Amino acid sequence: METQNIRNVAIIAHVDHGKTTLVDAMLKQSGTFRQNEQVQERVMDSNDLERERGITILAKNTSLYYEGVKINIVDTPGHADFGGEVERALEMVDGVLLLVDAFEGCMPQTRFVLKKALALDLVPIIVVNKVDRPNARPYEVVDQVLELFIDLDATDEQLDSPVIFASGRDGWADMKADATEGSMEPLFDLIVNHVPAPKGTPDKPFQMIVSNIDFDDYTGRIAVGTIERGTITTNSQVAVCTKEGNVKNAKIAALYTYEGLKRVSTLEASAGEVVAMSGITDINIGETICATDCPEPLPFVEIDQPVMSMTFSINNSPFAGQDGDFVTSRHLRDRLFKELESNISLRVEETDTADSFVVSGRGELHLSVLIENMRRQGYEFQVSKPQIITRTENGVLTEPVEDLFIDVPDEFTGAVMENSAKRKAELVNMSPSSGGYTRLEFTIPSRGLIGFRNELLTATKGTAVLNHMLNGYEPFKGDIPERSRGSLVAFETGVAMAYGLFNAQDRGTMFTNPGDKVYEGMIVGENCRLDDVVVNVCKKKHVTNTRASGSDDALKLTPPRLMSLEQSLEFINEDELLEVTPKTLRLRKRILNTDLRAKAGHQSRK
């Protein structure tokens, strides 16, 4: 296909602004699917975890045809923790659809993705989505977007970016904000006429940078990227320029282009086309594939560094090995280092011991998605409390600081400000939002966000909406109060009994059901006071032949609090671990033995 008949665009936006739903409508109306084909909602969210959580985690490629022009589309994540996926996806395109919710307007991730797109000199198209929702304010949102362009020092050409209004759910786009129906044709026309064709020339030596890695059980690793220049054919000999500066030879076993949601085998592809190629066994993201007679590496986009780390170690609890298929340190090490091949925002470091590894990522969600994927694959391990990564700059200790945006009903603004101040947050702006809500903007240390969401949702009766984005590094802000309540710790190994739980529940909130297996040192609840308390939840009722009034009354147990993976990570303290298996999540103390734990606590207080 000629370069002039190709358009490469990425869809970028804040989380939940409707990127994947818009792609659904574009694919359906372009004739990508058969008329009678059953297509699920959010078809681009192919990962089970993505469908369960309702968010996009991995950047993915698709394509459609419109009036003889092939439009290659990259659907990107909207959450700040997966910014690495967005950064590398932007390497593959010439233009972006900047999607903004017609009610929420510009959010933290909107600024992040637009800043990256403008830095790469990509051509933006502003799409104001969800104009059909109640309280939509499309013209105000357009003004917000233009102010954001000015804040980011956009050029005059970028400030003149076209604006289109859309409803991805209902499948229409229009140049007028008051439209109520239509089709996606105005958006297709805008992409074809406004986004430039790829600049590459087919008659020069081949060159392509690897922006993504896919995997196939039969062909192995598959390199994905946009051909910068030249032409490539199946069975071609190529040179691979590694990130270390080495050059090695390889052969292209198979070549694919994207047709809709499928990879389609092709014999030849030229400059400007998004392709996937197999046959290079150890290819990695950021490496350049070139013609053998012209090995010229391309610079890869700078990826932001991790800000949070956790220690992953093998499971050494009394219940180790009961659920998982992969339980040894070798299994854990191989899996973590394999993740580095496709997850370029991640860092893995070995420690002094062979059974522990420090894993660093962009945030709690970034690391928790890795943990969830590993447990679903049969891995069993334990993780520590998340820690922020500090730096020393010019002899001054600095820590990551984030911009925090909280939308909350007016009645709860006082509670939000009080809770935020405890975590060293500084109020930057406070403005009324529509519908009786107020938007509060803070700068807050990243470590202040650990466990903050649940605390804030409790204080605002579940009404607060939090968004945050890394702002940079600032001098260390001082100590931040940690969890204000202690743990209820199991006294012995056994099975939790209703009688034991009934006696323990007066001390706080339980995490355990009757019949659950517990072991000494396992956390079975949250104490209502600051200190830890050892409780015997395995205690049975003493049986006698004496009966007294009320002795046989049914025990009334309060339903336990069942915590998700993220809630468990936020709960644990420095001396606690989270045991992760394919079937269960267990909170535990680092030192399981009650006497040894008491001695260690006494020595630490000296």
Side-chain angles (χ1 to χ4, degrees), residues 25-38:
M26 294 172 72
L27 290 172
K28 289 173 183 174
Q29 294 190 28
S30 64
T32 301
F33 306 121
R34 295 191 318 272
Q35 195 137 10
N36 63 343
E37 188 171 348
Q38 294 293 317

Side-chain angles (χ1 to χ4, degrees), residues 9-223:
V9 295
I11 299 185
I12 58 176
H14 187 79
V15 66
D16 279 342
H17 279 199
K19 298 177 298 300
T20 308
T21 305
L22 187 76
V23 175
D24 278 1
M26 294 172 72
L27 290 172
K28 289 173 183 174
Q29 294 190 28
S30 64
T32 301
F33 306 121
R34 295 191 318 272
Q35 195 137 10
N36 63 343
E37 188 171 348
Q38 294 293 317
V39 182
Q40 61 187 359
E41 288 186 6
R42 302 197 326 274
V43 67
M44 292 293 286
D45 285 347
S46 53
N47 185 303
D48 288 342
L49 208 53
E50 291 178 319
R51 301 198 65 79
E52 289 173 21
R53 293 175 180 241
I55 60 173
T56 302
I57 295 172
L58 303 172
K60 304 179 197 68
N61 298 78
T62 186
S63 73
L64 56 88
Y65 286 88
Y66 178 70
E67 295 185 351
V69 177
K70 184 177 185 181
I71 303 175
N72 289 308
I73 301 172
V74 185
D75 184 23
T76 63
H79 200 285
D81 281 18
F82 307 113
E85 294 283 325
V86 180
E87 290 166 305
R88 72 183 188 199
L90 295 180
E91 283 278 305
M92 303 169 63
V93 299
D94 304 291
V96 293
L97 300 183
L98 178 67
L99 216 66
V100 187
D101 189 297
F103 171 70
E104 293 185 356
C106 294
M107 299 294 279
Q109 187 72 353
T110 312
R111 170 181 284 272
F112 171 81
V113 294
L114 181 59
K115 182 178 180 181
K116 296 292 182 181
L118 296 180
L120 293 169
D121 204 25
L122 301 177
V123 176
I125 295 174
I126 302 167
V127 183
V128 181
N129 194 29
K130 303 187 184 181
V131 293
D132 55 334
R133 68 179 289 181
N135 302 321
R137 46 191 185 98
Y139 294 113
E140 291 180 44
V141 168
V142 171
D143 290 340
Q144 281 186 14
V145 175
L146 294 177
E147 288 174 9
L148 182 57
F149 271 81
I150 294 170
D151 287 346
L152 297 176
D153 297 325
T155 63
D156 291 341
E157 293 79 12
Q158 290 166 335
L159 281 170
D160 288 334
S161 300
V163 179
I164 191 168
F165 304 92
S167 169
R169 184 193 63 181
D170 294 340
W172 59 264
D174 202 288
M175 304 305 291
K176 298 177 182 177
D178 54 0
T180 56
E181 59 182 11
S183 69
M184 281 291 167
E185 286 192 9
L187 181 57
F188 293 147
D189 288 329
L190 203 54
I191 293 172
V192 171
N193 297 326
H194 189 70
V195 176
K199 301 183 181 70
T201 49
D203 54 351
K204 288 190 176 181
F206 175 74
Q207 189 182 46
M208 184 190 96
I209 192 164
V210 180
S211 299
N212 205 351
I213 292 290
D214 209 340
F215 188 81
D216 186 272
D217 290 335
Y218 299 100
T219 58
R221 293 169 71 77
I222 297 174

Side-chain angles (χ1 to χ4, degrees), residues 290-526:
C290 312
T292 52
D293 57 347
C294 189
E296 298 177 358
L298 286 164
F300 191 60
V301 64
E302 184 82 16
I303 301 295
D304 290 342
Q305 295 300 307
V307 298
M308 191 171 288
S309 66
M310 297 168 64
T311 301
F312 284 53
S313 55
I314 60 169
N315 186 12
N316 59 6
S317 82
F319 295 166
Q322 293 185 3
D323 297 340
D325 298 322
F326 308 105
V327 298
T328 66
S329 59
R330 178 177 60 84
H331 287 138
L332 182 61
R333 183 186 187 281
D334 291 348
R335 176 63 182 84
L336 290 174
F337 278 95
K338 184 181 179 182
E339 184 71 18
L340 292 178
E341 297 173 356
S342 58
N343 197 338
I344 56 175
S345 300
L346 203 71
R347 300 285 183 274
V348 178
E349 303 168 51
E350 299 191 66
T351 63
D352 297 338
T353 60
D355 57 0
S356 296
F357 305 88
V358 177
V359 181
S360 306
R362 297 278 279 263
E364 266 184 291
L365 184 61
H366 186 202
L367 294 169
S368 69
V369 166
L370 170 63
I371 293 169
E372 184 63 35
N373 280 325
M374 288 177 63
R375 70 181 292 223
R376 292 184 183 207
Q377 294 162 4
Y379 287 84
E380 190 174 307
F381 53 98
Q382 56 193 19
V383 295
S384 69
K385 178 184 176 68
Q387 301 284 347
I388 57 105
I389 300 173
T390 58
R391 297 178 185 172
T392 302
E393 299 175 359
N394 299 322
V396 178
L397 181 66
T398 61
E399 65 174 333
V401 174
E402 312 218 8
D403 291 328
L404 174 65
F405 299 78
I406 303 176
D407 289 290
V408 67
D410 299 340
E411 61 190 287
F412 295 120
T413 53
V416 170
M417 295 175 73
E418 182 181 351
N419 282 275
S420 303
K422 293 177 185 175
R423 293 173 174 266
K424 305 292 184 181
E426 298 176 6
L427 183 66
V428 175
N429 190 24
M430 179 177 176
S431 57
S433 186
S434 53
Y437 273 66
T438 299
R439 174 169 292 182
L440 302 165
E441 299 178 21
F442 299 90
T443 58
I444 185 171
S446 295
R447 60 196 167 99
L449 290 171
I450 299 174
F452 186 43
R453 184 180 297 271
N454 287 333
E455 181 182 307
L456 207 58
L457 289 176
T458 302
T460 61
K461 299 182 179 178
T463 56
V465 178
L466 282 75
N467 291 286
H468 56 89
M469 185 186 73
L470 183 67
N471 184 13
Y473 277 72
E474 293 184 8
F476 194 76
K477 303 287 185 181
D479 293 334
I480 293 177
E482 295 189 351
R483 199 175 79 206
S484 58
R485 296 185 177 184
S487 301
L488 300 178
V489 186
F491 171 69
E492 63 180 358
T493 301
V495 177
M497 307 300 292
Y499 185 71
L501 291 170
F502 177 76
N503 290 324
Q505 70 181 7
D506 289 340
R507 293 187 175 272
T509 305
M510 304 307 298
F511 301 156
T512 309
N513 278 306
D516 289 349
K517 293 181 178 179
V518 300
Y519 53 79
E520 182 185 5
M522 179 174 158
I523 297 170
V524 294
E526 181 183 39

Side-chain angles (χ1 to χ4, degrees), residues 208 238-250 280 282-284 286-292 294-298:
M208 184 190 96
V238 293
V240 178
C241 301
T242 66
K243 286 186 276 189
E244 292 77 26
N246 303 321
V247 179
K248 56 187 179 183
N249 293 325
I280 309 175
D282 51 355
I283 190 72
N284 287 305
E287 296 182 340
T288 307
I289 304 173
C290 312
T292 52
C294 189
E296 298 177 358
L298 286 164

Side-chain angles (χ1 to χ4, degrees), residues 483 485-489 523 525 527 531-533 571 576 589:
R483 199 175 79 206
R485 296 185 177 184
S487 301
L488 300 178
V489 186
I523 297 170
N527 190 14
D531 54 334
D532 295 338
V533 174
F571 179 84
E576 297 168 352
K589 289 291 184 180

